[in-house]
Amino acid sequence: MTDLDFRQGGYPASGPQTTNLADILERVLDKGIVIAGDIKIDLLDIELLTIRLRLFVASVDTAKKAGIDWWETDPALSSHAARNALEDENRELRARLDALESKSEEMSTSEK
C-alpha cells in the first residue's frame, strides 16, 4: 500500500458521497419541501407593498395527503372543473333570468 491509500491515522481516504439528481428529486417529491418568504417594502414606517411567496414542491400524492388539491377545482387547470364552473354559471344565470321574468310579469299584471 502506498501513502495515497491511507491518510494520517491509517484510515482509507473517502471522497464525498455522491447522490444523483434523480435520487434527490425522488426524495423531495416523496416528502415534499416548502419554501416560504415575505417581501415588504416600507417607506417612512408606512407599508407600501407586501408580497408573500409560498412554494410547495411535492408529488401529486404527497400534496393530496397534505390536503392540497386546488388544481382539481381551478377551471384554468382542470377541464372537469371548467365544465362544472360553466354549469354553475349557467344555472345561476337561468335562475336570475327566471326571477327577472317573473318580476316583469308581476309588474305587467299589476299595471292592468
Side-chain angles (χ1 to χ4, degrees):
M1 292 204 182
T2 66
D3 289 338
L4 295 176
D5 294 331
F6 290 97
R7 303 282 182 218
Q8 291 177 345
Y11 297 107
S14 63
Q17 295 272 339
T18 58
T19 305
N20 64 20
L21 182 61
D23 292 339
I24 293 170
L25 189 58
E26 181 180 345
R27 190 174 305 151
V28 165
L29 291 177
D30 184 45
K31 301 293 182 192
I33 185 170
V34 175
I35 301 170
D38 293 342
I39 299 171
K40 287 179 119 181
I41 299 175
D42 295 342
L43 179 65
L44 301 173
D45 293 330
I46 298 171
E47 187 175 315
L48 298 177
L49 178 66
T50 299
I51 301 173
R52 294 190 172 184
L53 304 171
R54 304 290 183 260
L55 177 65
F56 179 63
V57 179
S59 67
V60 170
D61 294 334
T62 303
K64 284 184 177 182
K65 287 178 188 175
I68 300 170
D69 60 355
W70 50 263
W71 60 87
E72 292 179 348
T73 57
D74 188 341
L77 301 173
S78 168
S79 61
H80 181 69
R83 224 176 2 261
N84 288 345
L86 286 174
E87 289 172 0
D88 291 344
E89 182 180 13
N90 192 3
R91 193 176 311 113
E92 181 182 318
L93 288 172
R94 286 182 186 274
R96 290 175 62 189
L97 182 61
D98 289 342
L100 286 172
E101 286 176 345
S102 65
K103 191 173 187 177
S104 174
E105 287 174 7
E106 287 175 12
M107 291 177 66
S108 65
T109 57
S110 66
E111 289 178 358
K112 292 181 182 181

